[in-house]
Amino acid sequence: MPDVMSETVEKRIDKLEKQLKQLQNQRKDQLSMVIFSNNMDKILAALVIAVGAAAMDTEVKMFFTFWAVSALRDKKKKTKGKDVKSRMLGAMLPHGIGQLKLSKMNMGGLGKDMIKGIMKQKNITSPEEMLATAGELGVQIDICEMSMDLMGFKKEEMIDYPDLGYCGVATFLADAGESSIQLFIS
Amino acid sequence: MPDVMSETVEKRIDKLEKQLKQLQNQRKDQLSMVIFSNNMDKILAALVIAVGAAAMDTEVKMFFTFWAVSALRDKKKKTKGKDVKSRMLGAMLPHGIGQLKLSKMNMGGLGKDMIKGIMKQKNITSPEEMLATAGELGVQIDICEMSMDLMGFKKEEMIDYPDLGYCGVATFLADAGESSIQLFIS
Amino acid sequence: MPDVMSETVEKRIDKLEKQLKQLQNQRKDQLSMVIFSNNMDKILAALVIAVGAAAMDTEVKMFFTFWAVSALRDKKKKTKGKDVKSRMLGAMLPHGIGQLKLSKMNMGGLGKDMIKGIMKQKNITSPEEMLATAGELGVQIDICEMSMDLMGFKKEEMIDYPDLGYCGVATFLADAGESSIQLFIS
């Protein structure tokens, strides 16, 4: 019975094609990163990886959470109507990417100035420029809503960035689950 | 010779189906996390991710190693028969998730109390409650045996947790290798 | 028309086999790790994972970047012709894996000595021995070229290691994208 057999073959191939499609979607050419730290060196590393991947046409999604959210504040933007604790916390945390400290050898800013000086001298892109490049290359930045709430940050004090969004952990997990690379920068 | 041809087709489909199955098993809907740090903020982030994933029916496996193991001690449980070094190390490390410090701005506990106060005020689940929820949702916690040995911890001083196990790096690697998401929280 | 049908079947199977091959290559039995920290405890954890994976015949690639590069310096090797800033930075950073500090409880070296003493007493392999074992098991170590430049390090001051290379972020991303496990040790 060649007909029956062919039919079975067709059905098995149909199923294979469908499952293969699912597998391909589960592992997109996509990089998902959680950025947890607000240290200058770690944010720089994350941005170097993000920009490198975007330059290779990989889809890049950065999920900024906890301390890292303070790196995305715009120091020129002011907010009103915060409660006391949020104002205190806001004052203690860095106002944007230009005010971050090193995770090691910061030495009251001396170590950071030294590293920044060396980067300038050697024509290594600064974190500020790297962030702008990331935006130009289409790197998507999502800010953790729970962290915004916890830190008492408001959307109007965040930087202008081409592809800036706000989401929860479920969105990060859905993205990461189909990414070929996932990293947690703590 | 249609028969021979059909046979070849069958064989090729058999092989495809087998390989596809292997690929699917290599990338389960599973999250593997190494928890290395014992900082309150990092353990909290790990638990938020774990609980979020478990709520989406993703299998979650947390591998607690090095400093992080101290976060799983039960401060009400006492142990006997430790040598001097193990007693010293045990006394210096936090006794469970309630005694963890912040990785930044801890300020002798002031910063931690502030963050904890804000979390309470904003109805954000505490690390202690988050850990209980993780247990209810079936998040599996494995403790690194080498770290237990190094820190001089004993199983009888660890918390009561529904799905608590002890294993080595080989088990973590085997699990991580077939997980769709892997993260290292350092 | 059984012939036409068979031909279609053949073509669909051809396509399936090709796509499956691509998917398999996208997820090799391979572990990619970024090592960012130069803390003794974190480097040790990275090496335990690397050696464990290599022992299970998993291909292992470690990408040392930023602070971590200082852990690969050979303290017996001297360099000449460095500028002032590079000499200063070089003097402030650890000279190799034997001089690393703990990320926590270092206490001016006391905590580190205590941990090292316990490791010796319990026959846990030291970071130095672990690195040698990694080399023997074929673990590949790549050093980030941008970090070499930034830190002012020279190739002649790096350790002798069987499979030591220098590369940029693009190479790491290409490797990580086809690895079944990727971790960032920060």
Side-chain angles (χ1 to χ4, degrees), chain B residues 121-134:
Chain B
Q121 180 194 322
K122 305 211 170 174
N123 287 316
I124 298 173
T125 319
S126 71
E128 292 89 335
E129 293 162 324
M130 205 66 100
L131 186 59
T133 308

Side-chain angles (χ1 to χ4, degrees), chain C residues 12-79:
Chain C
R12 288 173 70 189
I13 294 180
D14 285 349
K15 207 178 163 188
L16 276 167
E17 285 171 345
K18 196 186 150 199
Q19 290 181 321
L20 196 74
K21 192 83 212 147
Q22 285 176 339
L23 267 186
Q24 285 170 329
N25 285 338
Q26 273 175 34
R27 187 158 173 111
K28 290 184 196 163
D29 183 13
Q30 184 171 287
L31 164 65
S32 284
M33 273 190 283
V34 180
I35 324 294
F36 179 87
S37 165
N38 64 1
N39 286 124
M40 193 265 262
D41 44 340
K42 293 182 183 176
I43 300 262
L44 179 66
L47 285 169
V48 168
I49 294 173
V51 164
M56 291 157 77
D57 283 326
T58 299
E59 192 80 13
V60 183
K61 302 192 175 191
M62 301 178 92
F63 183 72
F64 278 69
T65 188
F66 223 89
W67 309 108
V69 180
S70 63
L72 297 178
R73 292 202 289 170
D74 187 330
K75 66 176 174 184
K76 294 188 301 290
K77 295 187 184 173
K78 304 289 169 202
T79 51

Side-chain angles (χ1 to χ4, degrees), chain A residues 11 13-14 18 31 34 37 52 61 68 72 98 123 127 184:
Chain A
K11 275 188 187 165
I13 294 180
D14 284 349
K18 196 187 151 197
L31 164 65
V34 180
S37 165
K61 301 192 176 190
L72 297 179
N123 287 317
F184 190 104

Side-chain angles (χ1 to χ4, degrees), chain B residues 8-185:
Chain B
T8 314
V9 159
E10 291 272 320
K11 275 189 187 165
R12 288 173 70 190
I13 294 180
D14 284 349
K15 207 178 162 188
L16 276 167
E17 284 170 345
K18 196 186 149 198
Q19 290 181 321
L20 196 74
K21 192 81 212 149
Q22 284 175 340
L23 267 186
Q24 284 170 330
N25 284 338
Q26 273 174 33
R27 187 155 174 113
K28 290 186 197 161
D29 182 13
Q30 184 172 289
L31 165 66
S32 284
M33 274 190 282
V34 181
I35 324 295
F36 179 88
S37 165
N38 64 1
N39 286 124
M40 193 266 261
D41 45 340
K42 293 182 183 176
I43 300 262
L44 179 65
L47 285 169
V48 169
I49 294 173
V51 164
M56 291 155 79
D57 282 326
T58 299
E59 192 81 14
V60 183
K61 301 192 175 190
M62 302 178 92
F63 183 73
F64 278 69
T65 188
F66 222 89
W67 309 109
V69 180
S70 63
L72 297 178
R73 291 202 290 171
D74 187 331
K75 66 176 174 185
K76 294 188 301 290
K77 295 186 184 173
K78 304 287 170 204
T79 51
K80 285 188 177 175
K82 285 195 182 185
D83 61 38
V84 180
K85 278 181 183 165
S86 296
R87 278 208 307 275
M88 272 178 62
L89 202 53
M92 285 154 68
L93 290 166
H95 279 80
I97 199 164
Q99 292 188 1
L100 307 180
K101 294 175 185 172
L102 287 180
S103 68
K104 292 176 207 301
M105 295 206 327
N106 193 62
M107 305 178 296
L110 271 179
K112 191 188 79 164
D113 290 346
M114 187 176 164
I115 295 280
K116 280 204 153 184
I118 296 174
M119 286 177 69
K120 205 166 185 178
Q121 180 194 322
K122 305 211 170 174
N123 287 316
I124 298 173
T125 319
S126 71
E128 292 89 335
E129 293 162 324
M130 205 66 100
L131 186 59
T133 308
E136 282 161 24
L137 290 175
V139 169
Q140 186 184 319
I141 291 184
D142 284 316
I143 301 181
C144 169
E145 283 169 343
M146 194 179 111
S147 303
M148 287 289 287
D149 187 27
L150 176 61
M151 302 289 173
F153 292 157
K154 297 189 170 190
K155 291 187 182 179
E156 62 257 33
E157 64 183 303
M158 294 293 136
I159 54 165
D160 297 314
Y161 183 88
D163 201 353
L164 190 71
Y166 298 86
C167 70
V169 71
T171 305
F172 161 70
L173 285 166
D175 285 341
E178 48 184 36
S179 293
S180 57
I181 312 183
Q182 314 116 3
L183 302 169
F184 190 104
I185 319 286

Side-chain angles (χ1 to χ4, degrees), chain A residues 51-68:
Chain A
V51 164
M56 292 156 77
D57 282 327
T58 299
E59 192 81 14
V60 183
K61 301 192 176 190
M62 302 179 92
F63 184 72
F64 278 69
T65 188
F66 223 90
W67 308 109

